[in-house]
Amino acid sequence: MQAIILAAGQSSRFWPLNQRHKSLLKVMGKPLIWYTIESLKKAGIKNFIVVQGAKKDVEGGLKNYNLGVKIQYIVQPKPKGMGNALWQAKDFAASQFFVLNAERLDGGEHIKKLKIKEQRAKVVLVAQPTNNPRLYGMLKFRGDNVLEIVEKPKPGREPSNLKVAGTYGIPKEFFECYRKVEKRAYDFEDALNLFIKKRGAKMVKTEKENLALKYPWHLFEMNKYLMDKYLSPKIENSAKIAKNVIIEGTVYIGKNTKVFENAVIKGPCYIGENCVIGNNALVREYANLEDNCLIGANAEVTRCIFQNDVHTHSGYFGDSIFDRGCRIGAGTITANVRIDRGEVKSMVKGEKINTGLKSLGVIMGENAKSGINCSLMPGILIGRNSMLGPNSLVMGNVGDGIIFFTEFKKNIKKTA
């Protein structure tokens, strides 16, 4: 009962939140990988190998948590894909092991299903239906026998509507197949297909859609999943709540947090330690504020995810994500709905992506800053360490370290 968790790679599609591994983003005070390990632990796994990148950020991100399991950390020196990451762990792998990504929060549920149909010396995997096959490895199968995995098929060439859900039971003999395939981006799938031809593979189908984290806006779904599952109402004794504050629903307020007069908090909401919620502020509906966040007077925050040490003044913040250390000027507005109420699209790696969301605000990287009265259009991405000048209207992505401003020219009428 060993699990190999893959937590390396650049996650380029996850920009601008990929300064560290995406599984280290926090919800309710803990990184996503913590929830993955907790889920697997409940499924009976207590022996883990975590494959991380050269920065060793995952090991650092978990060091302060008592997980109650054995973890061995392995480094993938360069981000060469899933197959190469797994290869780094070959000398420490058990005869039969599970493989999954670090952000597979529901991994324990998957592994319980795999244990039912687990067969020695065969690959076993979880399959799920999808309406978006171009993003996934798709399955060619007969009954519960897997015949082939087709990675990101072109429209009209999908072998089925079933995708690989990203949780595998794999025998150690798999590494012999990996040794033989050409090393490329999808060599893990190539090695799996080679193994399937020789030994076969089984699938366990589940109708429940798994939680994916391919794009940064997928974090909203994970935030909702975790709050619905884990959030309990509590106000820590050291928190200071003004007498006329309104708190409704499931709300957690952490140690030493201050909530000032006339603020309204409508759960489900999580507010971490040492936060400040200003006068007349409204925080509501799956808002997640990590430690040391400041919400200024008269601000509204709804369905947002704030990482540690994010400060805002007055303004509206809806369906938005702010990474660590962001500073937002007074009067900033995140537009989160298109004027025609259509699906919000976002530009990722030069390609316009349908997000599947009708409400999506801004996603802002680490230490980004905006001046006063900025207007941010739906679905835009702001890079880390960037600065938005006062009164800027931002209608497209802004790269890392960019100083952006909108110049307004004033017409002056000359008089005699």
Side-chain angles (χ1 to χ4, degrees):
M1 292 296 290
Q2 180 191 67
I4 300 178
I5 295 179
L6 304 181
Q10 291 179 317
S11 303
S12 58
R13 288 179 295 188
F14 210 69
W15 181 86
L17 304 180
N18 60 348
Q19 175 69 9
R20 59 202 182 282
H21 193 266
K22 58 188 177 182
S23 69
L24 293 177
L25 287 162
K26 289 184 176 181
V27 172
M28 296 189 298
K30 296 181 177 69
L32 296 177
I33 189 172
W34 184 94
Y35 295 101
T36 298
I37 293 172
E38 185 70 11
S39 173
L40 296 173
K41 185 171 69 172
K42 289 179 179 178
I45 296 182
K46 295 185 179 180
N47 181 14
F48 292 84
I49 295 174
V50 174
V51 183
Q52 60 183 334
K55 294 191 295 185
K56 300 183 180 181
D57 52 354
V58 176
E59 185 174 356
L62 287 175
K63 67 180 180 180
N64 294 325
Y65 298 95
N66 182 14
L67 293 163
V69 297
K70 177 185 176 183
I71 301 180
Q72 182 173 4
Y73 293 97
I74 305 293
V75 172
Q76 183 186 25
K78 294 183 180 180
K80 294 184 177 181
M82 182 174 175
N84 180 265
L86 186 57
W87 178 259
Q88 309 305 315
K90 67 183 185 304
D91 295 334
F92 309 97
S95 59
Q96 191 90 10
F97 53 89
F98 296 104
V99 177
L100 65 166
N101 288 329
E103 65 278 5
R104 182 63 61 222
L105 307 182
D106 48 3
E109 299 173 26
H110 285 185
I111 281 177
K112 288 177 183 177
K113 295 178 183 295
L114 291 182
K115 285 163 59 179
I116 294 172
K117 300 195 70 172
E118 183 179 355
Q119 298 185 27
R120 291 189 178 276
K122 280 193 175 182
V123 167
V124 189
L125 54 84
V126 177
Q128 293 175 326
T130 181
N131 295 320
N132 200 3
R134 64 187 292 272
L135 293 180
Y136 304 102
M138 303 301 294
L139 291 170
K140 183 178 180 181
F141 62 92
R142 183 180 299 116
D144 64 351
N145 292 301
V146 178
L147 305 178
E148 185 182 3
I149 299 172
V150 181
E151 188 64 27
K152 297 180 178 61
K154 294 181 179 180
R157 302 184 65 177
E158 305 89 350
S160 71
N161 72 327
L162 292 183
K163 69 175 181 178
V164 179
T167 307
Y168 309 83
I170 296 179
K172 195 168 184 176
E173 290 81 3
F174 164 84
F175 291 112
E176 293 302 317
C177 292
Y178 182 78
R179 193 190 304 272
K180 295 176 182 179
V181 300
E182 179 186 354
K183 303 302 177 284
R184 66 186 193 101
Y186 298 118
D187 54 17
F188 174 76
E189 290 77 10
D190 293 342
L192 270 183
N193 281 329
L194 180 59
F195 187 96
I196 289 167
K197 287 181 181 179
K198 292 184 175 183
R199 300 279 187 89
K202 295 286 186 179
M203 70 175 185
V204 179
K205 185 179 176 182
T206 177
E207 295 296 331
K208 185 178 178 182
E209 181 70 18
N210 69 302
L211 298 164
L213 200 59
K214 290 183 178 293
Y215 296 109
W217 53 84
H218 289 159
L219 189 60
F220 291 114
E221 185 180 7
M222 291 196 167
N223 180 69
K224 184 177 185 300
Y225 170 85
L226 291 173
M227 281 198 180
D228 288 344
K229 187 171 184 177
Y230 291 104
L231 184 64
S232 297
K234 183 178 182 179
I235 299 175
E236 294 287 352
N237 292 333
S238 58
K240 295 181 179 179
I241 314 296
K243 290 183 179 180
N244 57 346
V245 168
I246 296 174
I247 299 176
E248 298 177 353
T250 306
V251 174
Y252 175 88
I253 299 178
K255 297 176 182 178
N256 302 313
T257 285
K258 299 176 182 179
V259 183
F260 285 89
E261 288 79 5
N262 298 315
V264 177
I265 304 173
K266 295 189 175 184
C269 289
Y270 173 91
I271 301 172
E273 298 180 1
N274 302 304
C275 293
V276 174
I277 310 298
N279 301 75
N280 305 305
L282 171 60
V283 180
R284 64 184 177 93
E285 197 177 349
Y286 291 102
N288 181 89
L289 310 180
E290 294 298 324
D291 295 348
N292 302 304
C293 286
L294 186 153
I295 306 301
N298 304 305
E300 179 178 354
V301 177
T302 179
R303 298 181 301 276
C304 285
I305 301 170
F306 285 36
Q307 295 298 287
N308 288 34
D309 193 36
V310 174
H311 293 192
T312 73
H313 291 278
S314 61
Y316 173 75
F317 309 97
D319 302 285
S320 297
I321 303 172
F322 296 90
D323 207 346
R324 300 179 298 193
C326 288
R327 296 290 185 267
I328 313 301
T332 295
I333 301 294
T334 63
N336 60 335
V337 178
R338 286 170 47 132
I339 196 168
D340 62 359
R341 300 305 188 262
E343 181 180 319
V344 178
K345 298 179 181 180
S346 190
M347 189 68 69
V348 178
K349 299 179 68 174
E351 181 182 2
K352 188 170 286 188
I353 302 295
N354 294 321
T355 66
L357 301 174
K358 291 292 185 70
S359 297
L360 175 61
V362 67
I363 298 173
M364 188 173 283
E366 266 188 0
N367 300 315
K369 298 175 177 63
S370 76
I372 62 170
N373 298 324
C374 287
S375 299
L376 313 177
M377 293 299 101
I380 65 169
L381 312 177
I382 308 295
R384 57 185 176 268
N385 300 315
S386 60
M387 297 179 65
L388 309 179
N391 294 308
S392 289
L393 171 62
V394 187
M395 302 187 69
N397 291 355
V398 177
D400 294 332
I402 299 295
I403 298 176
F404 175 95
F405 66 93
T406 303
E407 183 179 0
F408 291 91
K409 294 183 177 179
K410 187 175 182 180
N411 294 319
I412 302 174
K413 184 178 180 181
K414 293 183 180 181
T415 58

